[in-house]
Amino acid sequence: MVHRMTSPSGAPASTATGPYLQVNDLKVRFTTEDGVVKAVDGVSFAVERGRTLGIVGESGSGKSVTSLTVMGLHNRKRTQITGQILVGGRNITAMTDDQIRRLRGRDMAMIFQDPLSALHPFYKIGGQISEAYRIHHKVPKSIAKTRAIEMLDRVGIPQPQKRAEQYPHEFSGGMRQRAMIAMALVNNPDLLIADEPTTALDVTVQAQILDLLEDLQREFNSAVVLITHDLGVISQVADDVLVMYAGRVAEYGSAEQVLRAPQHPYTWGLLASVPSLHGNADEDLLPIKGNPPSLINVPSGCAFHPRCRYAMLNGGPCDIEVPELLRLSLSDEPGHVVACHLPERQRKTVYEQEIASVGVAI
Amino acid sequence: MLRFIIRRVLLAFFTLFAISVTTFAIFFAGPADPASMMCGARQCDPVAHERINRILGLDEPITTQYVKYMKGIFLGRQIGDIECPAPCLGVSFRTREPVTTILARSAPVTLSITVGSAVIYLVVGVGLGMISAIRQGTYMDRAAVGVSLVFASMQIFFLGLLLLYIFVYGYGWLPRPQYHPITENPLKWAGGMIVPWLTIGLISAATYARFSRAQMLETLSEDYVRTAQAKGASKLRVNFRHAFRAAVTPIVTIAGIEIGGQLGGLVITETTFSMLGIGRQAVNAVNNLNLPIIMATVLIAAVAVVVANLIVDVSYALIDPRVRLS
């Protein structure tokens, strides 16, 4: 069943100006020798132009697979994809490889985690950026080159003329990520997916890159999907937050809702394992015990139940039934949905008594 | 870039110098007695023995001999009554012919076999490996992997004889292997070379197919290939401009060194097809203890390997900008 999703913090979507990216009940499966990997299992979300969705989760939660599927970067012969991915109203999942290729880099672009390995070591920075431009614009090399230098200047690279003639290994980490951003934005894409764009960078550079992304988003009015495991990054730039676990959505809402009034024990776990400058220094962090599950053998019921310290509190069906993604009924939080068997009232008490104090106070 | 090349060239010269000194010392200071071999008679008359030694300069200190030998390479020299023009590599103890003349006959044979077969195995092998990698897991890929395993495990003398029996003596589709100078009749040259080319070409193509398939698969999973796809680059562009260029670097290294080594002689191939190339010449020389020929062969092989390495280094720097820095 396909149910439509609107972004939690945005105005209710009208049919004419709906969200730019809309994902409905997306399922991605890989067949391997060990069995079928359910990398993404029924994920829905929406991002409007000018807004940022943060997707959070541990490694293997399906966040990167989701973004690569949106970009159409999976080998279709080895991947089963069902559900809908609407980019500007066009359904990616129904398109041919070549049709998606034409959108890629022009309407939707992607920034990768490690800019050193994501840039080609043999080609000059300027050449790699102008290549991205020339793939989608029939212009002479000189014009594309001017455009590349312009972009390098725009992302804050000093002496862009000279830097365009250099190779990736001659750039520092932060500069490389700026170049990567310049490459992604050279065609003014409406959708930008950033997969852990700051993870490989120094902490001091991280903030600069996030600022730059925010500036550019304002300038180009693009929809941004930011994938990260860093809740600090999320609190800084995201409008909406999607928490993923084992390929499913655990919690989805506006950044305010998810970070200030988190509902899912997994979100609590993520929040409680971030150290805070303002919190009580003597209070221990509460790490989530165990490891993320194998996506070939997803635990029965709620996939998080083996690691959840509150599972079965109410003798609920945590290990039997997959929890549905439901709206909150006690508080008035439009768009905030959570997949947890614990009764809302009980979640509230547990959060206030046990988690909020450790809390990050982001 | 220029400094890089100059440094490599100097290093190459030093290597060659070291090799020439070592070979010279081993061969000419060794226990072999060329004078009695040149003497002809079974029991050499001591006076004649002495005379030959003097003519060849073998009674002189080894350093003087080395200097004369090296000078001969660049300027030519007179050995006894034999005129040996530059580049002089000594004279054969058996035939009194300058070694250079002997090598001038055998080198083109080896060079023809090496270059021709290299074209075949590089084009077929690398091409097949790349296509299999791009179509990984398809029937075409599996067939290519299987066939290349069969050919990679074959021996030159086995496949060579097989081709000879079937295509040359059996059906008569291919001409008998024989060396004709390319300058006289290029068609005849190619015809006489086709069976050796196919033999080495097929066997080495199998190895190159497996190696380049592995390289290409590794490169195709690199992040920068995904970046190229994310830009919207076409499959052709992704596979060639982004993946192939990176995958080809290690292949260039292997091929360069291998071709360099082959130029020093292809003993098995030359023997299988009864062609007198450098390799067979050297084996004959070893059997006769004909030191000047052995020495010259070792030197030529060393030059070939060193030059091939130099070319590999330079082309590596041309392909990969990161190499130029270090």
Side-chain angles (χ1 to χ4, degrees), chain B residues 261-284:
Chain B
Q262 288 174 342
L263 286 175
L266 299 153
V267 181
I268 297 176
T269 316
E270 291 163 13
T271 312
T272 307
F273 300 109
S274 308
M275 292 173 144
L276 196 59
I278 293 179
R280 244 178 100 206
Q281 189 101 67
V283 172
N284 291 345

Side-chain angles (χ1 to χ4, degrees), chain B residues 13-89:
Chain B
F13 272 113
F14 178 76
T15 314
L16 285 177
F17 173 71
I19 290 172
S20 71
V21 169
T22 320
T23 357
F24 197 86
I26 290 172
F27 287 133
F28 281 75
D33 183 7
S36 40
M37 196 183 301
M38 265 184 118
C39 196
R42 221 163 248 281
Q43 280 294 323
C44 196
D45 170 28
V47 182
H49 191 270
E50 194 61 30
R51 193 172 47 86
I52 295 170
N53 260 345
R54 206 179 48 248
I55 291 170
L56 291 181
L58 293 173
D59 52 348
E60 286 173 276
I62 185 163
T63 41
T64 320
Q65 287 188 47
Y66 176 77
V67 172
K68 277 192 174 171
Y69 185 87
M70 293 314 281
K71 230 166 123 183
I73 293 180
F74 297 102
L75 302 170
R77 65 197 269 217
Q78 182 84 25
I79 300 169
D81 54 345
I82 309 162
E83 181 67 39
C84 180
C88 173
L89 293 161

Side-chain angles (χ1 to χ4, degrees), chain B:
Chain B
M1 189 67 197
L2 196 66
R3 272 184 57 198
F4 173 86
I5 295 176
I6 291 172
R7 225 174 37 223
R8 286 300 148 115
V9 171
L10 288 177
L11 194 69
F13 272 113
F14 178 76
T15 314
L16 285 177
F17 173 71
I19 290 172
S20 71
V21 169
T22 320
T23 357
F24 197 86
I26 290 172
F27 287 133
F28 281 75
D33 183 7
S36 40
M37 196 183 301
M38 265 184 118
C39 196
R42 221 163 248 281
Q43 280 294 323
C44 196
D45 170 28
V47 182
H49 191 270
E50 194 61 30
R51 193 172 47 86
I52 295 170
N53 260 345
R54 206 179 48 248
I55 291 170
L56 291 181
L58 293 173
D59 52 348
E60 286 173 276
I62 185 163
T63 41
T64 320
Q65 287 188 47
Y66 176 77
V67 172
K68 277 192 174 171
Y69 185 87
M70 293 314 281
K71 230 166 123 183
I73 293 180
F74 297 102
L75 302 170
R77 65 197 269 217
Q78 182 84 25
I79 300 169
D81 54 345
I82 309 162
E83 181 67 39
C84 180
C88 173
L89 293 161
V91 290
S92 163
F93 290 162
R94 292 243 141 187
T95 59
R96 304 170 63 88
E97 214 180 347
V99 173
T100 318
T101 321
I102 299 173
L103 284 178
R105 278 199 303 270
S106 53
V109 178
T110 304
L111 185 70
S112 302
I113 302 178
T114 304
V115 173
S117 56
V119 170
I120 294 185
Y121 62 72
L122 287 180
V123 172
V124 175
V126 176
L128 199 64
M130 295 294 162
I131 297 170
S132 311
I134 293 166
R135 308 202 169 160
Q136 190 202 4
T138 60
Y139 286 111
M140 187 254 134
D141 174 37
R142 279 173 215 184
V145 169
V147 170
S148 55
L149 184 63
V150 171
F151 278 103
S153 49
M154 271 199 200
Q155 293 291 336
I156 290 174
F157 50 82
F158 174 71
L159 183 64
L161 290 181
L162 205 67
L163 292 181
L164 278 182
Y165 281 127
I166 298 174
F167 296 107
V168 179
Y169 300 116
Y171 293 99
W173 289 343
L174 296 175
R176 207 163 60 81
Q178 201 176 15
Y179 177 72
H180 304 279
I182 188 171
T183 43
E184 281 171 21
N185 186 341
L187 264 182
K188 233 177 160 183
W189 168 78
M193 284 291 156
I194 191 98
V195 179
W197 284 347
L198 279 178
T199 309
I200 303 186
L202 287 175
I203 291 176
S204 293
T207 318
Y208 278 90
R210 296 167 67 78
F211 182 60
S212 28
R213 178 178 180 271
Q215 282 300 326
M216 186 72 173
L217 280 180
E218 201 184 311
T219 315
L220 281 173
S221 64
E222 291 282 355
D223 284 357
Y224 52 78
V225 171
R226 193 184 51 190
T227 308
Q229 289 168 330
K231 285 183 196 177
S234 64
K235 271 199 179 119
L236 207 68
R237 201 180 178 86
V238 170
N239 288 334
F240 278 86
R241 253 183 82 85
H242 293 266
F244 181 74
R245 169 138 183 219
V248 88
T249 355
I251 300 170
V252 168
T253 313
I254 304 275
I257 291 167
E258 196 177 331
I259 292 172
Q262 288 174 342
L263 286 175
L266 299 153
V267 181
I268 297 176
T269 316
E270 291 163 13
T271 312
T272 307
F273 300 109
S274 308
M275 292 173 144
L276 196 59
I278 293 179
R280 244 178 100 206
Q281 189 101 67
V283 172
N284 291 345
V286 169
N287 288 336
N288 300 329
L289 280 178
N290 205 337
L291 290 184
I293 295 185
I294 300 174
M295 172 78 189
T297 311
V298 171
L299 273 184
I300 285 185
V303 170
V305 170
V306 168
V307 169
N309 261 306
L310 184 68
I311 293 173
V312 164
D313 281 349
V314 171
S315 53
Y316 219 108
L318 285 176
I319 299 175
D320 187 344
R322 288 170 301 180
V323 177
R324 289 170 218 165
L325 282 178
S326 49

